[in-house]
Amino acid sequence: MAQPAPGLETIALGIGTLGMALGTLAFIAMGAGETNEKKQEFYIITIFIAAIAAVSYFSMFMGFGVIEVVVDGEALVIYWARYADWLFTTPLLLLDLALLAGASRNTIATLVGLDVAMIITGLVGALATEGAAMRIAWWGISTGFFVVLLYFLVSTLSKNAAQKSGDVAALFSTLRNLVIVLWTAYPIVWIIGTEGTLGLIPLGVETAAFMVLDLAAKVGFGFILLRSRDVLDQASAPSAQAAD
Ligand SMILES: *C/C=C(C)/C=C/C=C(C)/C=C/C1=C(C)CCCC1(C)C
């Protein structure tokens, strides 16, 4: 059993837990009293994103969800709990974006499928013991899914959003760009961190980097989305149809 990580890791995981918990409470408060069912969807999804991450961070803070993987004779400390979190929270983030854009079910299924494939292959890479080359190969496969996912965000989903009102399209662009920039940092932190075996940054720095990214990509994203009440009104107006 791994012990709770000391130092920077513990601090980063503690801040992550607090930030996600406060984000959850803030989103619940923002959504309280919302009676429009379509708009409630955005609140429910975004509350769960922060809540799942809060639980995941708390588990890692308590020293759970972390294992040692021996690669080429060297022990790597891997937080697998992240992937359990991301497996649910990243599809939910994409669902928020897709609902905003008025995407069809097929587009949503494609995005979620690519995303789940990205997270699972990333997890395989994180746990692979065959050697550094094999881990980096899985990183490459995961990054391949990620690139296709980004393609769908800038093509199909952006086209859907362009058919919405100017305000909705503008909010979509802001959030989409935030996703592109923040999400791109994850594979970079992974490969230069413990998982990539290159060890360019120590585990504490990596944990802090993921914490800042997670807070921005979930709580930051959620605030930008949910504070725009009248834009959500327009996005969920009955006239808004699912585009193909
Ligand atoms: C709230 C959590 C978020 C937004 C997490 C996003 C995670 C990714 C975009 C992860 C991507 C990865 C690759 C593209 C390569 C392999 C390693 C991963 C899983 C870190």
Side-chain angles (χ1 to χ4, degrees):
M1 276 281 240
Q3 292 298 308
L8 184 55
E9 278 160 67
T10 309
I11 295 168
L13 294 171
I15 296 173
T17 306
L18 259 171
M20 294 300 179
L22 290 176
T24 307
L25 295 177
F27 297 154
I28 291 173
M30 289 164 88
E34 180 55 68
T35 51
N36 176 322
E37 281 198 19
K38 282 274 161 211
K39 276 172 78 181
Q40 281 176 345
E41 285 179 6
F42 291 106
Y43 288 94
I44 294 168
I45 294 166
T46 313
I47 289 165
F48 271 108
I49 292 168
I52 292 168
V55 173
S56 158
Y57 263 95
F58 184 61
S59 76
M60 293 191 285
F61 177 72
M62 297 305 287
F64 176 83
V66 54
I67 53 163
E68 264 185 17
V69 173
V70 179
V71 183
D72 301 333
E74 200 199 330
L76 307 176
V77 177
I78 302 294
Y79 283 99
W80 60 263
R82 294 189 185 296
Y83 300 85
D85 164 343
W86 297 348
L87 188 59
F88 295 101
T89 56
T90 53
L92 289 174
L93 284 162
L94 292 173
L95 187 57
D96 261 342
L97 264 187
L99 289 176
L100 189 63
S104 70
R105 267 171 191 276
N106 287 355
T107 303
I108 295 175
T110 305
L111 287 171
V112 170
L114 288 165
D115 181 82
V116 167
M118 170 185 83
I119 300 297
I120 299 283
T121 51
L123 172 63
V124 174
L127 298 180
T129 52
E130 293 90 344
M134 191 58 96
R135 296 172 67 85
I136 292 167
W138 281 108
W139 175 88
I141 295 169
S142 176
T143 301
F145 285 117
F146 179 50
V147 170
V148 181
L149 174 67
L150 289 183
Y151 170 77
F152 274 93
L153 286 186
V154 297
S155 61
T156 316
L157 215 54
S158 299
K159 261 181 234 138
N160 291 162
Q163 289 163 5
K164 296 288 208 162
S165 76
D167 286 348
V168 175
L171 177 61
F172 172 84
S173 298
T174 305
L175 291 172
R176 181 205 57 192
N177 294 343
L178 188 75
V179 164
I180 293 172
V181 171
L182 292 175
W183 289 32
T184 299
Y186 284 82
I188 298 171
V189 172
W190 195 100
I191 201 76
I192 64 173
T194 311
E195 283 83 359
T197 66
L198 300 180
L200 296 179
I201 54 170
L203 185 61
V205 176
E206 175 183 345
T207 309
F210 274 138
M211 181 269 289
V212 171
L213 287 172
D214 281 343
L215 282 177
K218 295 180 172 69
V219 178
F221 177 101
F223 267 112
I224 296 172
L225 176 70
L226 299 182
R227 65 146 199 237
S228 321
R229 281 190 164 259
D230 48 325
V231 183
L232 293 185
D233 260 337
Q234 295 168 34
S236 34
S239 60
Q241 284 166 2
D244 295 272

